[in-house]
Amino acid sequence: MPVTRMPPTDLESLYAPLSSTGPDTAVSVILKLRGETCDIDCLYCFEKRKESPGGARISAAQVHRLGSIFSGRPLSVELHGGEPLTAGPERIAEILDALAAQPNVIRVSLQTNGLQLDDAWLDLFERHYPELEIGLSLDGDALGNSWRVGYDGRPTYPRVVEALELLSRRERRVGVICAVTPYVLGRASDVMEHLASFPAVTTVSLVPCFDAAVTRSTTVAGSRAPTSRALQRRAIGPTGPAWAVTPRQYADFVLEAAHHWVTDGLFRRVKLEPVVSVIRRLKGLQTRSCHFSDLKCDHVLTLYPDDRLGSCDELPWPQARLAALGDVHAEVDVADAQGSSSLLQQARSLVTKCTTCDYRDTCGAGCPAVRLRFAAAGDEDAYCDHRKRLIDGVAALLAQPDHQTGGAPCSRLRWRPVRPNDMRHVAAFLARWDDPAAPRPPARLQVSAHGNINTAGLPGVHEADDLDPHHPQWYEGIEPGVRPVVDVLTAGWGTVTYDSCQGHSYDGVGAEPRFLSVGILPRDRAEYARTAARLCRAAARAASSLPGACSLVIGRSELTCRTSGRVSPTLDLHVIPAAGTTPAEYFRDLGQAVHVLTEALTETPAAPPSTPCGCMAEAGPTDGGRQ
């Protein structure tokens, strides 16, 4: 079995510069049709915190210029604000016509608060851009929407519900952006059920209010502050605004929502983000979300009415400004401005650390704009930790959807994909494991000078015949240093082991060492859940007694059947060098680590499915309540 850490990848695989992608790669452009101008005054609005002048309108001429600048590649356009519909029907019609006339525009969406939506607007959309995708901002139920108010301080929720009902009558489908604030924490099931109750809603995107660094209210033009700004001032305390959540709270809420989404069958009719993006990345697929792909800030641009062209609107302004649209003549001008941007250089530098992270292929390095905020606060680890928790939790949900506790994942079992990890015929192997009478041809066993047992008798990762305890060569095929662990897992626990390695230092040959590992292939989801919880309890029992140079890692991975193409979830034990230790120190202590692990596995009894794993028992109640 290969080591769990894969070779570092280059930075461009996580953050692709505009100049490195070809003409088939789309650029996303956010059109701030009215800048920050909006007909409501949400207390947490990040656009108004930029305190940029609003009031003007983006013109059709600006849209045509954008299309000519990026004529060599696809454009995905989002009409945004503030509130884009405050631009008025005549200007919106002109912009939609301009977009429809450009062959490289592949997608147009509108993000609105929904208050102005009526039949006249929907008729206009159908005349000028029938494929227009509509997104609404709705933070769950009435309580969750408490931060979304008009300038008079009154809630906007009832009017958004009317818009959703209208969209249902018109058979229009919409996506909902739901901000996660303390008003929805601990109520993920209720929030998901409420949003899914609207027939028009086909996508729910859960976005975090990571606003702990906000320390002052938005300024007001003029001498009279509206009621909404008074509410905002009262909501901002010495430790940040009352609408902010921590990364851990957000991750737990998303996982609770995902659990309900799966167990209640909502996944059949509603797409849930970021869960779907995580699932796609776990499966090795691409996603349109820039938070999980390499198409980050260099492929997301924002245009304001006053000709300011900048990077993603989540980045701070004016630092994110790149150029005036009138001064840009070709795509290369944008790429040059990006290359000269100190803000984007800083964002790229934060992503550099991700190139050696075990989660990089799934996480995709996250959002540079958010990373910058956490780095400025000296708390970037909290951002990374919540991304890992999301991935671990979704991986657990996929493997054992019927055996999760309220969506809370085990914090000790981590997503640790093993690559390559395949077997010629998984189903035949499992059937043979439990059938003593099954035919078993002789195994091809060769031993390398370094103790590797495989068909080639060579060091490294090579093919090995798939053996089971009924095979006469079973013990001969297991490397001696890992036999005690395999014995207790197979004879003691009754689990199926599909691979094992005792670890090899490869002294004197210049090869990377391999560390001890055992792969477990559960027969079904129930066994997977029982085994995962038991492994966690065993790891908790072993933790304090392991020698200092060794660390125990329990990983979730997948095994691919080469015959059928089917993928089976696995659980993999790895004993790896502890942080700050050398391979020589590791191999010196490995025998003792195997003894400790074997005893812990032996002394950890089976338990009913309802028994919590070790980390959940240690953690006690979660911190998912309101702030």
Side-chain angles (χ1 to χ4, degrees):
M1 181 179 289
V3 298
T4 55
R5 182 174 292 280
M6 294 167 282
T9 57
D10 63 289
L11 180 59
E12 288 190 6
S13 68
L14 296 174
Y15 188 127
L18 185 62
S19 58
S20 72
T21 57
D24 293 335
T25 303
V27 167
S28 297
V29 180
I30 302 167
L31 298 181
K32 297 286 187 178
L33 297 190
R34 295 290 309 283
E36 66 168 22
T37 301
C38 189
D39 50 1
I40 63 174
D41 198 32
C42 302
L43 274 58
Y44 55 51
C45 179
F46 73 90
E47 189 63 43
K48 290 177 181 175
R49 288 204 296 270
K50 297 174 185 176
E51 298 176 357
S52 303
R57 293 170 170 79
I58 282 180
S59 68
Q62 289 172 300
V63 173
H64 282 298
R65 185 171 184 84
L66 267 176
S68 66
I69 291 170
F70 294 101
S71 59
R73 66 166 77 222
L75 280 183
S76 176
V77 178
E78 182 174 5
L79 310 181
H80 208 278
E83 170 52 47
L85 296 186
T86 60
E90 182 177 347
R91 182 57 56 88
I92 294 287
E94 292 173 358
I95 289 172
L96 291 177
D97 288 342
L99 292 169
Q102 299 184 53
N104 60 324
V105 173
I106 59 170
R107 175 177 177 261
V108 180
S109 60
L110 168 81
Q111 186 63 38
T112 175
N113 59 37
L115 269 64
Q116 292 193 31
L117 276 182
D118 57 18
D119 284 303
W121 273 116
L122 296 179
D123 290 341
L124 184 148
F125 300 156
E126 290 174 3
R127 288 195 305 271
H128 294 272
Y129 208 100
E131 300 84 12
L132 179 70
E133 299 177 16
I134 300 175
L136 260 66
S137 299
L138 184 68
D139 301 345
D141 53 16
L143 176 61
N145 277 269
S146 299
W147 308 108
R148 301 187 61 80
V149 298
Y151 288 93
D152 59 3
R154 298 178 65 181
T156 62
Y157 171 79
R159 293 164 67 188
V160 183
V161 169
E162 291 176 5
L164 282 169
E165 292 170 347
L166 167 66
L167 290 161
S168 297
R169 292 195 300 271
R170 295 288 295 261
E171 297 185 346
R172 293 294 299 251
R173 299 295 174 255
V174 298
V176 166
I177 290 181
C178 174
V180 176
T181 71
Y183 282 130
V184 300
L185 295 182
R187 302 193 304 113
S189 296
D190 293 340
V191 169
M192 287 302 301
E193 281 297 329
H194 184 72
L195 292 173
S197 69
F198 298 102
V201 174
T202 56
T203 299
V204 174
S205 298
L206 303 174
V207 299
C209 278
F210 290 156
D211 288 343
V214 174
T215 57
R216 63 183 182 89
S217 61
T218 309
T219 58
V220 179
S223 57
R224 283 190 73 181
T227 303
S228 54
R229 297 300 169 89
L231 294 175
Q232 187 189 59
R233 282 196 299 271
R234 288 200 293 269
I236 299 176
T239 59
W243 62 78
V245 295
T246 67
R248 176 61 181 262
Q249 287 173 326
Y250 171 70
D252 286 350
F253 179 85
V254 172
L255 293 175
E256 291 164 14
H259 178 259
H260 184 80
W261 178 68
V262 168
T263 58
D264 210 54
L266 297 181
F267 67 90
R268 296 185 179 91
R269 54 192 177 90
V270 176
K271 177 183 176 183
L272 179 62
E273 289 288 0
V275 177
V276 170
S277 287
V278 174
I279 291 172
R280 291 187 62 84
R281 298 305 294 141
L282 287 169
K283 298 300 181 183
L285 304 173
Q286 294 301 316
T287 172
R288 202 163 67 184
S289 169
C290 58
H291 291 199
F292 290 90
S293 80
D294 60 335
L295 303 180
K296 300 192 181 299
C297 306
D298 282 25
H299 288 76
V300 182
L301 301 170
T302 305
L303 178 65
Y304 284 87
D306 59 0
D307 242 19
R308 284 175 296 147
L309 181 67
S311 295
C312 171
D313 66 340
E314 292 192 39
L315 287 163
W317 285 74
Q319 300 97 310
R321 186 180 186 276
L322 295 173
L325 184 65
D327 295 333
V328 177
H329 303 285
E331 180 181 312
V332 66
D333 297 330
V334 177
D336 288 345
Q338 291 172 334
S340 302
S341 168
S342 59
L343 180 66
L344 293 183
Q345 290 173 11
Q346 185 182 359
R348 292 187 196 100
S349 70
L350 291 177
V351 174
T352 302
K353 63 178 277 189
C354 303
T355 60
T356 57
C357 177
D358 289 325
Y359 288 81
R360 65 184 174 275
D361 291 337
T362 311
C363 172
C367 173
V370 180
R371 295 183 76 98
L372 283 167
R373 297 204 296 270
F374 277 92
D379 200 18
E380 194 182 358
D381 286 347
Y383 179 75
C384 293
D385 289 345
H386 105 276
R387 299 273 298 179
K388 294 173 183 178
R389 184 165 175 80
L390 278 176
I391 292 166
D392 292 339
V394 174
L397 184 60
L398 291 179
Q400 50 185 88
D402 301 326
H403 299 273
Q404 290 284 94
T405 305
C410 171
S411 62
R412 189 171 275 115
L413 271 71
R414 298 298 187 95
W415 175 246
R416 289 290 187 275
V418 176
R419 298 191 177 98
N421 205 32
D422 54 42
M423 178 181 286
R424 189 179 66 83
H425 202 310
V426 173
F429 172 68
L430 286 172
R432 189 168 62 249
W433 187 281
D434 292 323
D435 183 4
R440 291 172 171 83
R444 300 164 294 170
L445 300 179
Q446 302 291 330
V447 184
S448 78
H450 298 275
N452 307 82
I453 300 177
N454 51 49
T455 59
L458 296 172
V461 180
H462 295 279
E463 183 182 4
D465 287 340
D466 303 317
L467 304 181
D468 63 86
H470 300 293
H471 197 289
Q473 294 170 280
W474 166 248
Y475 278 103
E476 185 183 349
I478 302 172
E479 294 171 356
V482 76
R483 282 177 189 164
V485 179
V486 174
D487 277 346
V488 68
L489 289 173
T490 55
W493 285 28
T495 60
V496 176
T497 56
Y498 70 92
D499 198 6
S500 63
C501 174
Q502 70 179 13
H504 307 281
S505 62
Y506 297 140
D507 292 333
V509 299
E512 289 290 322
R514 294 179 63 198
F515 306 122
L516 184 142
S517 60
V518 180
I520 300 172
L521 177 62
R523 297 171 177 83
D524 52 41
R525 286 174 169 174
E527 183 177 292
Y528 183 103
R530 291 195 304 272
T531 306
R534 194 175 181 184
L535 284 173
C536 181
R537 294 194 297 272
R541 186 185 296 268
S544 62
S545 301
L546 282 171
C550 297
S551 178
L552 176 62
V553 175
I554 311 173
R556 301 184 192 270
S557 188
E558 292 176 330
L559 177 68
T560 300
C561 176
R562 296 197 298 272
T563 301
S564 67
R566 294 186 63 181
V567 173
S568 302
T570 64
L571 295 161
D572 303 286
L573 288 176
H574 307 275
V575 178
I576 63 173
T581 61
T582 65
E585 292 169 325
Y586 165 81
F587 283 105
R588 180 198 66 204
D589 287 354
L590 182 58
Q592 176 63 19
V594 169
H595 175 73
V596 170
L597 176 57
T598 303
E599 281 197 340
L601 293 170
T602 302
E603 295 170 1
T604 303
S610 58
T611 304
C613 62
C615 66
M616 293 176 66
E618 294 165 0
T622 66
D623 62 348
R626 297 182 200 163
Q627 291 179 322

